[in-house]
Amino acid sequence: MSKELIQSFITYFGGESKGIRAFVSPGRVNLIGEHTDYNGGFVFPAALTMATTVLARPRSDRQINLIATDLKQMVYAYLDELYKYKTLKWGNYQLGVADELQKAGYILCGCDLLYDDKVPLGSGLSSSAAIELATALALVSLGDASQGVKREIDLVEMAKISQAAEHNYIGVKCGIMDQFASAMGKKGMAIFLDCRDLTWEMVPIKMSGYKLIITNTNKKRSLGESKYDERRSECERGLVCLNKVFPKARYLREISVDDFYKYKNLIEDEIVRKRVEHIVTENERVIKSVNALKRNDLKTFGKLMNASHDSLRDLYEVTGIELDTLVMEARNIDGVLGSRMTGAGFGGCTVSLVEEDMADEFIQRVGEVYKQRIGYSASFYISETGNGSREIIL
Ligand code: GLA
């Protein structure tokens, strides 16, 4: 924990370092399984070392004061008036989490909070989930301490509460993947998560001789402004059509690839049919990818990554010129086994499986072509997996 961060906290809020606690929650990269989570399907994300840190100290009143290292304006809020802050440009995610926690019966106390966000905002690496989970952990830990309650905080519940905050406070009907990965990630592991019942398996990522390189399009976008919710309702419409032959299916995940091809004509709307085709084939690709990684078959995994991107481009239509340029250029480079968009799409990041020795060339060549075609630069991160939400003892 950097001394400067603690010093900034004291500069903003006064007092001394005693009583300040630190909570951390990471961003994530999804290896494969895109837009499957809200269809009750499979995803395969890993938490990153890039994370949000929040320093927190309880107050004796019911006020929550929030500030971030890269912001000038402090947000002042009151725990008993949380309905008021939904339209804030910054602070709304945190206050949405506070609201959901109180609705779920958690007793919170007033506090001062300083955020240090190291997950690039709006990049598709779950910067929002990192903020939500760090906030949930901080608020519950401080609330518990203020009442003398000692318990282990249920991180899966924190993930669900954070997702509910996005639905009810922010107004984005996201799935559970980002919050779950941020809460539960483990260094060196990817999480094979079944989003229907939230059962999961940790799968070691052993990529000897290869690296996962994340490339940020640096195209700014937010899920609220994107066609995310539209895609979600297209999937719901597709399911209703297939319910004619599968009346018990609650999610598209319950439709197999074979059954989809057999009955796809029940979906009259061609666009909806394409969306459903992506979902059913993507679920199968996740299972195949998990098996490939377990037997260290990186070539097969790379091919599945490529197929996933192509399906997101042609069937789900959430890529766009920026992501497609990065992916196509990446695939032109020797030693790249696969490349795909990660996260919601519409901008954000790609993830590529690159031979270690080719990493520098990859960054240089993809960077050059991207700048030439798109007009501004991409950013590159060598992905390192990290742990999920936790307190850091100061
Ligand atoms: C966003 C959402 C997730 C998931 C992905 C797409 O990151 O928050 O729930 O739907 O998009 O896979």
Side-chain angles (χ1 to χ4, degrees):
M1 173 60 45
S2 86
K3 287 215 171 78
E4 286 109 82
L5 196 57
I6 296 174
Q7 198 44 56
S8 311
F9 186 97
I10 293 169
T11 309
Y12 283 121
F13 297 115
E16 45 185 89
S17 58
K18 194 166 161 271
I20 301 176
R21 294 171 70 177
F23 303 87
V24 176
S25 204
R28 64 95 190 94
V29 58
N30 188 22
L31 300 185
I32 195 160
E34 228 61 85
H35 292 273
T36 43
D37 59 353
Y38 52 83
N39 287 298
F42 301 109
V43 292
F44 198 28
L48 297 169
T49 46
M50 289 188 267
T52 285
T53 302
V54 59
L55 295 188
R57 191 173 60 194
R59 300 172 55 92
S60 53
D61 56 17
R62 303 272 298 154
Q63 197 166 327
I64 298 193
N65 300 328
L66 312 128
I67 183 92
T69 45
D70 54 355
L71 285 180
K72 298 230 154 49
Q73 193 88 37
M74 176 102 60
V75 169
Y76 302 97
Y78 297 90
L79 277 169
D80 303 313
E81 297 180 349
L82 287 174
Y83 57 90
K84 275 187 177 172
Y85 313 106
K86 290 190 180 179
T87 54
L88 286 179
K89 280 220 171 71
W90 184 85
N92 50 347
Y93 284 87
Q94 292 90 326
L95 296 169
V97 169
D99 192 38
E100 282 301 326
L101 284 169
Q102 292 199 138
K103 281 186 348 201
Y106 286 88
I107 297 178
L108 306 184
C109 62
C111 53
D112 294 326
L113 302 170
L114 169 65
Y115 288 83
D116 187 32
D117 296 314
K118 289 287 186 296
V119 189
L121 283 182
S123 61
L125 300 177
S126 296
S127 48
S128 333
I131 291 176
E132 288 155 12
L133 266 300
T135 305
L137 204 55
L139 292 180
V140 174
S141 303
L142 265 52
D144 281 359
S146 74
Q147 306 164 74
V149 171
K150 285 210 167 86
R151 65 171 146 186
E152 195 162 328
I153 297 171
D154 179 345
L155 289 174
V156 174
E157 184 167 320
M158 293 304 109
K160 289 184 190 164
I161 283 176
S162 299
Q163 183 198 23
E166 292 233 15
H167 286 200
N168 302 329
Y169 208 84
I170 305 299
V172 174
K173 284 251 161 19
C174 64
I176 189 72
M177 167 169 74
D178 303 351
Q179 289 77 13
F180 194 96
S182 185
M184 300 296 289
K186 288 267 170 307
K187 192 171 176 48
M189 303 282 180
I191 312 172
F192 174 37
L193 174 66
D194 181 338
C195 298
R196 186 173 58 177
D197 57 11
L198 294 191
T199 50
W200 75 96
E201 183 189 342
M202 292 291 175
V203 180
I205 321 183
K206 292 179 278 180
M207 305 234 156
S208 53
Y210 284 84
K211 279 192 163 24
L212 283 170
I213 300 185
I214 297 172
T215 311
N216 190 345
T217 59
N218 286 326
K219 179 186 182 190
K220 287 283 164 254
R221 57 103 176 96
S222 78
L223 287 194
E225 294 155 8
S226 77
K227 299 212 176 285
Y228 186 86
D229 282 354
E230 185 180 298
R231 291 291 176 281
R232 191 176 175 133
S233 54
E234 286 163 348
C235 290
E236 283 161 10
R237 279 160 56 201
L239 178 63
V240 169
C241 300
L242 293 170
N243 276 147
K244 285 180 200 137
V245 270
F246 302 104
K248 291 212 179 113
R250 285 180 300 141
Y251 297 103
L252 281 181
R253 119 82 180 285
E254 283 147 33
I255 311 294
S256 71
V257 174
D258 286 349
D259 283 339
F260 167 75
Y261 286 117
K262 200 160 158 198
Y263 296 109
K264 65 178 187 178
N265 289 335
L266 288 174
I267 308 173
E268 277 174 30
D269 184 331
E270 194 197 328
I271 292 190
V272 173
R273 205 184 311 135
K274 285 192 339 188
R275 307 297 188 239
V276 175
E277 182 171 1
H278 166 73
I279 299 299
V280 297
T281 54
E282 183 80 349
N283 274 321
E284 197 178 76
R285 281 188 287 271
V286 178
I287 295 169
K288 286 185 177 161
S289 298
V290 171
N291 291 333
L293 278 192
K294 282 183 180 168
R295 49 170 206 273
N296 238 332
D297 179 354
L298 296 184
K299 277 206 174 123
T300 301
F301 175 52
K303 283 189 190 142
L304 291 160
M305 291 172 80
N306 288 345
S308 167
H309 183 88
D310 297 351
S311 175
L312 287 155
R313 181 191 58 213
D314 302 335
L315 300 175
Y316 218 64
E317 297 181 280
V318 291
T319 57
I321 172 116
E322 297 84 1
L323 288 165
D324 290 336
T325 301
L326 287 180
V327 160
M328 289 310 149
E329 203 39 44
R331 290 184 195 168
N332 282 336
I333 295 173
D334 286 343
V336 173
L337 294 184
S339 184
R340 61 181 293 275
M341 56 155 268
T342 183
F346 314 103
C349 287
T350 65
V351 55
S352 308
L353 183 53
V354 185
E355 211 180 290
E356 221 157 39
D357 299 342
M358 295 300 282
D360 290 341
E361 187 168 340
F362 175 94
I363 292 171
Q364 200 219 331
R365 273 180 53 190
V366 175
E368 251 169 43
V369 172
Y370 185 79
K371 179 134 196 236
Q372 243 169 35
R373 289 219 190 118
I374 305 298
Y376 51 86
S377 300
S379 315
F380 296 84
Y381 325 104
I382 306 279
S383 141
E384 280 176 51
T385 59
N387 287 318
S389 309
R390 63 208 180 268
E391 177 165 11
I392 293 182
I393 303 302
L394 294 179

